């Protein structure tokens, strides 16, 4: 936990940078940093949610409204505090005006659910070009079925009456999801940044430590529900886990804080786990993220890993998606990388591949099938298409790699570190090849030593040639010169 706190302190600068760069105000209002507050009243009758939504503290500018998917019966509501003077006819905009509050009412059908659990994704309207600072949510559950509602905001209070149950939540930021479960899990810890519901007695120091962790990271309030069921629900603001997952709370919250700081999409959580592992220097999170972290350490050179970590500690000006993380790894290793995008798509190769971006050229011919890869800073070439360009045939079996040309034969042992050239055994201190994704790759220096291939690195290409061919050409020229003389 101490190491997590240290990392949070180091990357807190990124959050501060983003906060102050996004909130600069000029001439009264910065259209790129608009904020508002909101109060949301929710009535649930078992089949529908009737939502009365108050947008408050509005600037006298135009706002675009994003309504929840599937919402119906949208209407502007007049009240003592709010008129509809700033609503357009299509109810798609709050137009420029002096009124600082606008109220709307809309209906949302209950989504499909399983027994004892109800999750509603993106249930509330949002202003597209502004950020909610303070949110208050009232939930009146007319079913009176008991259980508990969760929003991610701090739960201020509850009240049970015969005809309905009432829940009140308030806090900083937005509510991205609503969650209800039949089990009314008791409150175990309430802190400024973190609320835990758990039947077991929670060590207060544990709860305070996590609160401190999230406070250092400037995290919004989060809610953890540890229940006796089997469901595992995770959103931007809350997590519902089986009680057996209690040991993972710190990792879950740390990962979610990383997601917030770097703008990592919720569905790309593995990237947040991977970034957290890099910053901590040890694996955290799910097995796929741990595997990816191990592959990074196995594949990148030490200097490349340092460059990547330093880049991640710098302020981030755009969301860190898997595609962008591929680019950061590629920049650190000076290669082309697609692995992490493919990992999230379920198409990742067995090995993390760092492709050399330069083309390999023989004479004036581009060797299209020769795509070198980097491993620990060394360049490896696919042996079959590369040597085919020099009239070698490459085959393999369970014990050996066989390389043949018109006048040369090689056999590389797949069991011990040696090869046989023209029936003469040559011992090796280390294997010159690696086997990745169904083919063998040979390291550049071994291709020079064994096959006498020369590699000339230029800005946009790698020129490859045969030293034997050069020597033979020189000898032929010398012999022709001697004959003429």
């Amino acid at each position: 936990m101490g190491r997590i706190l240290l990392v949070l302190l180091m990357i807190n600068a990124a959050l501060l940078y983003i906060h102050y760069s996004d909130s600069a105000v000029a001439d009264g209002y910065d259209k790129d940093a608009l904020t508002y507050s909101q109060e949301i009243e929710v009535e649930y009758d078992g089949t529908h949610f009737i939502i009365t939504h108050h947008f408050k503290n509005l600037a006298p500018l135009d706002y675009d409204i994003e309504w929840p998917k599937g919402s119906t019966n949208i209407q502007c509501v007049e009240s003592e505090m709010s008129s509809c003077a700033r609503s357009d006819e299509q109810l798609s905009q709050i137009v420029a005006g002096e009124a600082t509050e606008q109220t709307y009412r809309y209906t949302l059908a209950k989504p499909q659910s399983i027994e004892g659990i109800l999750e509603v994704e993106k249930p509330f309207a949002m202003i597209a070009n502004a950020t909610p600072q303070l949110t208050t949510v009232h939930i009146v559950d007319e079913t009176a079925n008991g259980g508990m509602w969760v929003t991610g905001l701090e739960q201020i209070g509850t009240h049970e009456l015969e005809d309905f149950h009432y829940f009140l939540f308030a806090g900083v930021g937005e509510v991205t999801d609503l969650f209800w479960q039949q089990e009314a899990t008791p409150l175990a810890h309430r802190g400024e940044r973190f609320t835990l519901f758990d039947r077991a007695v929670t060590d207060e120091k544990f709860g305070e430590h996590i609160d401190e962790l999230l406070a250092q990271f400037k995290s919004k309030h989060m809610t953890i529900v540890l229940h006796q069921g089997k469901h595992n629900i995770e959103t931007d603001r809350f997590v519902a886990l089986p009680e057996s997952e209690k040991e993972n709370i710190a990792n879950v919250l740390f990962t979610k804080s990383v997601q917030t700081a770097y703008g990592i999409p919720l569905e790309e959580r593995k990237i947040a786990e991977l970034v957290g592992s890099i910053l901590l220097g040890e694996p955290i999170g799910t097995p796929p993220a741990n595997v990816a972290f191990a592959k990074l350490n196995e594949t990148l050179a030490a200097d490349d890993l340092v460059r990547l970590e330093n880049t991640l500690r710098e302020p981030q000006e755009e969301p860190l998606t898997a595609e962008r993380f591929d680019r950061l790894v590629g920049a650190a290793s000076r290669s082309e990388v697609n692995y992490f995008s493919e990992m999230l798509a379920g198409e990742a190769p067995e090995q993390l591949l760092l492709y050399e971006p330069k083309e390999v050229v023989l004479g004036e011919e581009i060797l299209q099938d020769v795509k070198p890869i980097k491993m620990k800073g060394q360049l490896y070439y696919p042996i079959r298409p590369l040597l085919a360009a020099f009239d070698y045939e490459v085959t393999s079996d369970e014990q050996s790699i066989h390389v043949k040309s018109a006048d040369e034969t090689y056999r590389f042992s797949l069991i011990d570190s040696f090869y046989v050239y023209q029936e003469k055994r040559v011992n090796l201190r280390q294997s010159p090849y690696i086997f990745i994704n169904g083919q063998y790759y040979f390291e550049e220096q071994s291709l020079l030593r064994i096959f006498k291939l020369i590699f000339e690195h230029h800005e946009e290409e790698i020129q490859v040639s045969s030293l034997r061919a050069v020597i033979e050409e020189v000898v032929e020229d010398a012999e022709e010169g001697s004959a003429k003389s």
Side-chain angles (χ1 to χ4, degrees):
M1 189 74 73
R3 297 190 68 188
I4 291 177
L5 280 171
L6 178 62
V7 171
L8 294 178
L9 284 169
M10 287 188 290
I11 61 177
N12 186 45
L15 286 174
L16 290 173
Y17 175 87
I18 293 170
H19 173 76
Y20 286 113
S21 64
D22 284 350
S23 60
V25 176
D27 298 327
Y29 298 99
D30 181 353
K31 292 184 178 180
D32 295 325
L34 294 175
T35 62
Y36 63 96
S37 58
Q38 57 186 348
E39 186 170 1
I40 304 170
E41 303 169 22
V42 181
E43 300 174 49
Y44 176 57
D45 62 8
T47 59
H48 292 84
F49 296 88
I50 300 174
I51 300 167
T52 304
H53 199 137
H54 308 273
F55 293 108
K56 302 181 177 182
N57 299 324
L58 299 171
L61 305 173
D62 291 334
Y63 293 90
D64 295 323
I65 305 176
E66 294 181 350
W67 298 108
K69 185 178 180 180
S71 55
T72 58
N73 301 325
I74 301 171
Q75 55 185 299
C76 182
V77 178
E78 300 270 2
S79 69
E80 293 182 4
M81 301 297 296
S82 173
S83 70
C84 293
R86 293 185 59 181
S87 289
D88 68 343
E89 293 183 2
Q90 292 76 31
L91 299 178
S92 61
Q93 267 195 335
I94 298 175
V95 298
E98 295 183 1
T100 60
E101 181 174 330
Q102 290 286 278
T103 298
Y104 296 90
R105 184 171 292 131
Y106 49 96
T107 301
L108 202 62
K110 170 190 173 183
Q112 290 185 345
S113 60
I114 60 177
E115 185 176 356
I117 304 168
L118 174 62
E119 182 184 10
V120 189
E121 298 180 359
K122 299 181 179 178
F124 302 132
M126 295 284 291
I127 293 180
N129 49 337
T131 303
Q133 293 297 295
L134 178 65
T135 298
T136 303
V137 177
H138 310 261
I139 298 179
V140 176
D141 187 345
E142 297 176 355
T143 66
N145 287 332
M148 63 184 296
W149 287 90
V150 179
T151 65
L153 302 175
E154 184 179 354
Q155 180 177 291
I156 305 302
T158 64
H159 192 54
E160 293 187 9
L161 297 176
E162 183 177 350
D163 295 332
F164 65 88
H165 293 174
Y166 171 75
F167 299 79
L168 174 62
F169 305 87
V172 175
E174 72 287 351
V175 172
T176 58
D177 300 80
L178 279 179
F179 171 66
W180 174 86
Q181 67 174 32
Q182 184 66 66
E183 176 188 320
T185 309
L187 177 67
H189 171 81
R190 173 178 290 172
E192 182 181 356
R193 307 269 177 173
F194 161 64
T195 297
L196 174 65
F197 292 89
D198 184 9
R199 291 185 179 278
V201 177
T202 299
D203 181 359
E204 190 60 25
K205 289 184 178 180
F206 171 79
E208 291 174 355
H209 212 81
I210 292 181
D211 247 325
E212 183 181 357
L213 180 156
L214 296 175
Q216 292 291 339
F217 209 72
K218 307 297 182 187
S219 174
K220 297 175 184 176
H221 183 276
M222 295 186 187
T223 301
I224 298 287
V225 180
L226 294 172
H227 53 77
Q228 294 182 313
K230 297 181 179 179
H231 52 281
N232 190 331
I233 307 292
E234 179 176 344
T235 74
D236 288 339
R237 300 295 299 268
F238 62 81
V239 178
L241 296 169
E243 290 178 345
S244 59
E245 297 291 323
K246 184 170 184 175
E247 293 182 359
N248 296 328
I249 289 178
N251 278 351
V252 168
L253 291 179
F254 176 66
T255 299
K256 295 187 77 60
S257 296
V258 170
Q259 281 187 282
T260 300
Y262 289 88
I264 300 172
L266 180 63
E267 63 274 13
E268 298 189 7
R269 174 186 172 140
K270 293 187 184 70
I271 300 301
E273 294 173 334
L274 183 55
V275 170
S277 299
I278 294 169
L279 297 174
L280 286 174
E282 60 184 54
I284 65 168
T286 56
N290 292 345
V291 169
F293 178 62
K295 291 186 184 302
L296 269 176
N297 285 280
E298 292 168 0
T299 307
L300 268 67
D303 290 347
D304 297 341
L305 286 169
V306 171
R307 275 193 292 271
L308 177 61
E309 182 178 343
N310 289 340
T311 299
L312 291 173
R313 294 188 189 281
E314 295 173 356
Q316 305 295 309
E317 297 184 0
E318 60 179 296
L320 184 58
T321 62
E323 183 179 348
R324 181 165 173 257
F325 188 75
D326 275 329
R327 296 199 301 270
L328 294 184
V329 174
S333 60
R334 300 176 181 86
S335 58
E336 293 179 352
V337 182
N338 301 308
Y339 179 85
F340 300 99
S341 301
E342 294 171 345
M343 177 184 75
L344 288 177
E347 302 170 353
E350 183 178 339
Q351 179 65 44
L352 166 61
L353 300 181
L354 308 177
Y355 289 101
E356 168 59 52
K358 298 177 183 178
E359 295 177 327
V360 179
V361 179
L362 173 59
E364 296 182 356
E365 178 188 359
I366 297 174
L367 303 182
Q368 299 287 358
D369 295 330
V370 180
K371 302 289 185 184
I373 60 173
K374 291 182 179 178
M375 183 71 67
K376 288 293 184 182
Q378 302 298 319
L379 212 52
Y380 287 77
Y381 295 78
I383 189 68
R384 195 184 302 271
L386 176 64
L387 291 187
F390 294 94
D391 298 323
Y392 288 95
E393 179 185 359
V394 180
T395 59
S396 62
D397 53 36
E398 293 181 357
Q399 294 185 327
S400 305
I401 302 172
H402 302 273
V403 181
K404 297 180 180 180
S405 68
D407 52 2
E408 291 181 295
T409 61
Y410 297 83
R411 182 175 67 84
F412 294 86
S413 173
L414 298 177
I415 301 172
D416 298 310
S417 292
F418 73 90
Y419 70 95
V420 177
Y421 174 63
Q422 307 289 61
E423 300 184 358
K424 180 181 179 181
R425 176 174 171 139
V426 180
N427 292 321
L428 298 166
R429 283 181 292 182
Q430 61 183 28
S431 176
Y433 60 82
I434 54 177
F435 184 74
I436 294 178
N437 291 349
Q439 63 177 318
Y440 291 98
Y441 289 75
F442 272 63
E443 192 267 329
E444 185 177 275
Q445 291 301 311
S446 68
L447 290 167
L448 171 61
R449 291 194 309 271
I450 298 171
F451 296 101
K452 303 300 185 286
L453 298 185
I454 302 173
F455 298 88
E456 298 179 48
H457 290 259
H458 303 283
E459 186 174 345
E460 296 183 356
E461 65 182 27
I462 301 173
Q463 280 279 354
V464 59
S465 58
S466 171
L467 180 59
R468 287 195 180 96
V470 172
I471 293 173
E472 289 173 0
E473 186 176 340
V474 170
V475 170
E476 288 178 2
D477 289 345
E479 288 176 350
E480 287 180 6
S482 298
K484 289 180 180 179
S485 63

